[in-house]
């Protein structure tokens, strides 16, 4: 009884401390300096962010991004509406906090002690290292003292603090430019294009950008892993920070944070320069002829995802054949093709139609308990190694106290299906689980490359069209008859 009583006292003490921390957030407690109370009173959580595939973006189907989804869930936790204001630069983000146009800056920013004099940092939700980048093919600098050329970073970024520390320490000759016109991403793109010798970025952003700009190369890490956080104004009480702590604690406990990180960061792994360049070249040379077929038969998924599945299978070679007898763009077995009504596996349209239908059937079989945005990864694992083996991976995950409905948990168990100590306990036995793991991860990386590359190409085409229109307006065409008369 003594031990139980002691536990109750401990729980009671923790509850009391939590209540005191969250007291300012209780609706009937009002305070003019209460940040949370102002948010609740207006019914809006206002955030400022940066446009990027990682933090916040908009498409025809809606908005996305890790910071956007986190902020959306935080707004729901508070019971208010989310209002998003995208900005072009980091300086503009903090101007919004100073001018009370935003309650939070949620933009994947690195924790920076220099900002703490004016702002507070929220809980960390992932970590990155700062890396120096150069263009592939040029001389790789081994250290800071070996830099020969322009180094530029975005104004307001944490990279400036890092450079100041380096200069004040062992590198007094270090110089750099601070750009207020170009964002960190745009500076990285300038390095990839050969317009700038060096810049600094965070490891995750660089990893994502390399899928579109493989010329972007990492010279070395400048810092160890550092936390990424939200920022909000100083002043008032701890009500907003307490609510944030509770929110992130719940997200970690129920696995929601891990799932979001898997969705946006899970495929940011090893980078293959040659493979990425080969794929981007194939987008220009081979994809245009096949794109109408992918668009026609991708009914339940985006056509670009169906296209990269085909690339992973056959590298868009309609005559591809494996030693095991699978053939065609979607690499169908003879038996699978017959069951799908595919008469000629080497016919591009029949293969794409059959592969899309087979994937639809697998997605329909995936348990309903799996979240909609993760069902495709389970289906693809089944596409590669068989539906039964995918179920074995889920059972193994559950047996090891993981979540069988979470892809981040299940994918870690896939390689175990080829290990005797595990597959002897499964219903369907041995499977090439590591191959299935690599299969899905490769597809996700190719998808990031294709989506980003097409968006980049579209953006450049729009910029060129605008320049052409501006030129045409400045220099209108002279009619032929008038030109002859002159």
């Amino acid at each position: 009884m003594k031990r139980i009583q002691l536990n109750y006292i401990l729980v009671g003490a923790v509850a009391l401390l939590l209540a005191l921390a969250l007291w300012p957030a209780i609706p009937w407690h009002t305070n003019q300096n209460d940040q949370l109370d102002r948010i609740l009173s207006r019914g809006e959580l206002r955030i400022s962010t940066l446009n990027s595939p990682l933090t916040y973006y908009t498409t025809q189907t809606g908005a996305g991004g890790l910071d956007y989804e986190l902020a959306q869930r935080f707004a729901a936790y508070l019971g208010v509406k989310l209002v998003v204001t995208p900005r072009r630069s980091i300086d503009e983000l903090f101007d919004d906090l100073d001018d009370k146009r935003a309650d939070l800056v949620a933009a994947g920013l690195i924790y920076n002690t220099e900002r703490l004099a004016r702002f507070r940092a929220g809980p960390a939700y992932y970590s990155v290292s700062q890396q120096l980048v150069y263009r592939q093919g040029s001389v790789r600098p081994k250290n800071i003292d070996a830099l020969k050329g322009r180094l530029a970073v975005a104004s307001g970024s944490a990279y400036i603090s890092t450079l100041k520390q380096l200069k004040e320490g062992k590198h007094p000759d270090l110089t750099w430019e601070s750009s207020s016109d170009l964002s960190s991403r745009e500076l990285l793109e300038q390095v990839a294009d050969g317009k700038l010798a060096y810049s600094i970025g965070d490891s995750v952003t660089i990893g994502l950008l390399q899928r579109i700009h493989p010329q972007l190369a990492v010279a070395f890490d400048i810092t160890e892993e550092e936390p990424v956080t939200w920022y909000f104004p100083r002043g008032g009480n701890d009500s907003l920070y307490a609510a944030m702590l509770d929110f992130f604690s719940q997200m970690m406990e129920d696995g929601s944070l891990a799932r979001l990180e898997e969705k946006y960061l899970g495929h940011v792994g090893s980078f293959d320069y040659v493979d990425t360049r080969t794929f981007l070249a194939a987008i220009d040379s081979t994809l245009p002829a096949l794109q109408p077929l992918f668009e026609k038969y991708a009914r339940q998924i985006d056509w670009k995802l169906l296209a990269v599945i085909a690339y992973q299978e056959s590298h868009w070679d309609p005559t591809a054949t494996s030693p095991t007898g699978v053939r065609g763009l979607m690499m169908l077995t003879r038996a699978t093709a017959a069951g799908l009504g595919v008469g000629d596996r080497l016919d591009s349209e029949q293969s794409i139609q059959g592969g899309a239908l087979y994937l639809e059937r697998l997605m329909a079989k995936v348990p309903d308990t799996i979240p909609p945005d993760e069902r495709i990864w389970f289906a693809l694992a089944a596409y590669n190694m068989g539906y039964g083996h995918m179920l074995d991976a889920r059972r193994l995950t559950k047996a090891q106290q993981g979540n069988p409905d979470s892809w981040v948990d299940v994918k870690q168990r896939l390689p175990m299906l080829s290990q005797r100590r595990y597959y002897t306990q499964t219903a369907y036995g041995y499977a090439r689980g590591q191959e299935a793991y690599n299969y899905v991860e490769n597809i996700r990386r190719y998808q990031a490359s294709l989506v980003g590359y097409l968006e980049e190409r579209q953006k450049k085409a729009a910029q060129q069209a605008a320049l052409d229109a501006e030129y045409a307006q400045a220099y209108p065409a002279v009619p032929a008859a008038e030109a002859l008369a002159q």
Side-chain angles (χ1 to χ4, degrees):
M1 287 296 293
K2 207 169 193 179
R3 185 175 179 182
I4 294 175
Q5 287 176 347
L6 184 61
N7 286 340
Y8 275 123
I9 292 170
L10 179 62
V11 170
V14 171
L16 178 60
L17 289 172
L18 184 61
L20 289 172
L22 296 177
W23 172 257
I26 299 174
W28 60 78
H29 176 80
T30 59
N31 186 332
Q32 291 299 315
N33 294 321
D34 188 335
Q35 296 169 321
L36 182 58
D37 187 61
R38 289 199 299 272
I39 294 169
L40 298 176
S41 296
R42 82 167 84 96
E44 290 180 349
L45 173 67
R46 299 170 182 171
I47 71 163
S48 288
T49 187
L50 299 172
N51 268 309
S52 84
L54 179 58
T55 56
Y56 172 74
Y57 61 86
T58 55
T59 65
Q60 292 179 343
T61 57
L66 175 57
D67 286 276
Y68 169 76
E69 288 204 41
L70 268 175
Q72 192 177 47
R73 295 184 187 208
F74 184 46
Y77 164 87
L78 297 177
V80 298
K81 176 185 175 183
L82 178 67
V83 177
V84 181
T85 302
R87 297 298 186 188
R88 274 192 51 82
S89 70
I90 296 173
D91 288 332
E92 290 179 1
L93 296 179
F94 288 102
D95 285 344
D96 282 351
L97 290 185
D98 282 333
D99 297 336
K100 295 184 172 54
R101 289 190 295 263
D103 304 305
L104 287 174
V105 162
L109 299 183
I110 297 171
Y111 179 87
N112 183 350
T113 54
E114 285 192 8
R115 294 177 180 144
L116 300 185
R118 294 164 54 208
F119 310 104
R120 293 192 66 175
Y125 51 104
Y126 68 97
S127 62
V128 297
S129 60
Q130 296 181 36
Q131 297 177 322
L132 186 126
V133 296
Y134 70 108
R135 178 179 166 82
Q136 184 79 32
S138 61
V139 178
R140 175 182 180 177
K142 296 181 179 179
N143 51 51
I144 288 292
D145 293 325
L147 300 185
K148 295 180 180 178
R150 288 175 57 226
L151 165 63
V153 294
S155 64
S157 66
Y159 314 130
I160 292 178
S161 299
T162 301
L163 290 170
K164 286 178 180 177
Q165 291 173 13
L166 290 170
K167 186 176 180 66
E168 292 168 0
K170 299 179 179 180
H171 309 280
D173 296 330
L174 176 63
T175 60
W176 65 89
E177 299 172 16
S178 177
S179 174
S180 57
D181 298 328
L182 298 175
S183 67
S184 292
R185 178 188 172 95
E186 289 168 332
L187 290 170
L188 295 175
E189 290 172 344
Q190 286 218 340
V191 173
D193 293 339
K195 299 175 181 178
L196 178 67
Y198 313 107
S199 189
I200 298 174
D202 71 77
S203 51
V204 169
T205 299
I206 292 168
L208 290 170
L209 203 55
Q210 284 178 316
R211 307 291 169 199
I212 311 167
H213 298 281
Q215 300 86 356
L216 190 66
V218 176
F220 51 85
D221 283 5
I222 293 181
T223 68
E224 299 293 330
E225 292 279 315
E226 301 174 305
V228 172
T229 69
W230 289 348
Y231 288 92
F232 58 102
R234 279 202 168 278
N237 52 34
D238 292 331
S239 58
L240 182 57
Y241 184 67
M244 249 187 272
L245 281 177
D246 187 54
F247 165 72
F248 275 99
S249 176
Q250 289 184 24
M251 289 281 289
M252 284 188 281
E253 286 178 11
D254 66 17
S256 299
L257 185 58
R259 283 184 167 182
L260 274 181
E261 289 179 350
E262 168 62 25
K263 179 178 179 179
Y264 289 101
L265 309 176
H267 59 292
V268 184
S270 58
F271 169 67
D272 188 319
Y273 171 74
V274 174
D275 181 64
T276 304
R277 283 203 65 180
T278 302
F279 176 56
L280 296 180
I283 293 174
D284 290 329
S285 62
T286 309
L287 181 59
L290 297 171
Q291 181 173 333
L293 296 176
F294 292 128
E295 291 176 333
K296 181 178 180 180
Y297 293 109
R299 291 178 287 266
Q300 293 188 6
I301 60 175
D302 184 79
W303 73 266
K304 293 180 281 293
L305 178 54
L306 182 60
V308 297
I309 294 169
Y311 185 83
Q312 171 63 25
E313 291 285 353
S314 65
H315 280 212
W316 294 332
D317 178 5
T319 64
T321 304
S322 82
T324 58
V326 292
R327 308 186 74 185
L329 276 171
M330 301 299 291
M331 297 298 269
L332 303 173
T333 65
R334 189 184 299 276
T336 300
L340 296 167
V342 175
D344 182 2
R345 288 182 289 166
L346 300 185
D347 178 81
S348 296
E349 182 163 9
Q350 288 189 49
S351 183
I352 292 171
Q353 182 180 17
L357 179 58
Y358 183 46
L359 188 59
E360 287 175 9
R361 291 178 179 178
L362 288 173
M363 289 181 69
K365 290 172 66 178
V366 169
D368 293 336
T369 51
I370 295 173
D373 60 346
E374 296 189 29
R375 296 172 68 84
I376 182 62
W377 313 129
F378 287 85
L380 284 173
Y383 191 103
N384 179 261
M385 66 179 180
Y387 188 79
H389 293 304
M390 185 273 287
L391 293 180
D392 278 346
R394 294 185 74 245
R395 296 189 191 102
L396 186 58
T397 302
K398 186 175 182 180
Q400 295 182 351
Q401 308 303 312
N403 183 352
D405 296 330
S406 171
W407 178 246
V408 67
D409 284 1
V410 173
K411 79 172 188 177
Q412 296 173 25
R413 274 76 181 186
L414 290 176
M416 296 179 185
L417 298 179
S418 59
Q419 301 174 29
R420 183 177 179 80
R421 59 185 290 201
Y422 297 111
Y423 72 70
T424 52
Q425 304 172 27
T426 62
Y428 294 89
Y430 174 86
R432 294 194 296 267
Q434 184 64 54
E435 184 179 306
Y437 174 94
N438 295 338
Y439 176 84
V440 178
E441 294 300 284
N442 285 343
I443 286 172
R444 296 180 69 187
R445 284 191 278 267
Y446 286 138
Q447 183 186 24
S449 290
L450 179 57
V451 171
Y453 187 72
L454 292 180
E455 286 178 353
E456 190 91 350
R457 204 165 65 179
Q458 188 177 22
K459 183 175 71 175
K460 288 181 179 178
Q463 290 172 344
Q464 187 59 51
L467 287 173
D468 291 344
E470 186 178 337
Y471 181 84
Q473 188 174 6
Y475 303 96
V478 179
E482 186 178 331
L484 287 173
Q486 292 177 355

